[in-house]
Amino acid sequence: DYITALLTGYTGATRGTLYENPYFPGHYIAMPPPLTEGAVAYADGSPTTVEQYAEDVTTFLQWAADPHMEERKRTGVVVLA
């Protein structure tokens, strides 16, 4: 949730080279908004919004952190059954 909020929380306000983001501690971050509307077109017609991109990025990061989670869940269901 934090990564999604951080990626979508930019308000557009700046203070010098800092960008306002209420989800970052201190509310200002040096990283400019990394996502922009329409930057990537999806073959399946998914919306090309910052919110969709942020969801995709966080889903990928979750998978990258634990790529064997799905297999463990399937094994757990079989064991419990």
Side-chain angles (χ1 to χ4, degrees), residues 27-76:
H27 302 289
Y28 284 91
I29 186 171
M31 178 177 72
L35 305 174
T36 57
E37 300 276 331
V40 176
Y42 290 105
D44 67 353
S46 294
T48 57
T49 62
V50 169
E51 290 78 16
Q52 181 66 46
Y53 297 150
E55 182 181 329
D56 292 343
V57 167
T58 53
T59 300
F60 171 74
L61 290 175
Q62 175 62 40
W63 174 83
D66 192 6
H68 304 291
M69 179 181 65
E70 292 297 322
E71 183 180 342
R72 273 200 327 273
K73 284 183 178 182
R74 277 184 258 132
T75 302

Side-chain angles (χ1 to χ4, degrees), residues 76-81:
V77 169
V78 171
V79 168
L80 290 174

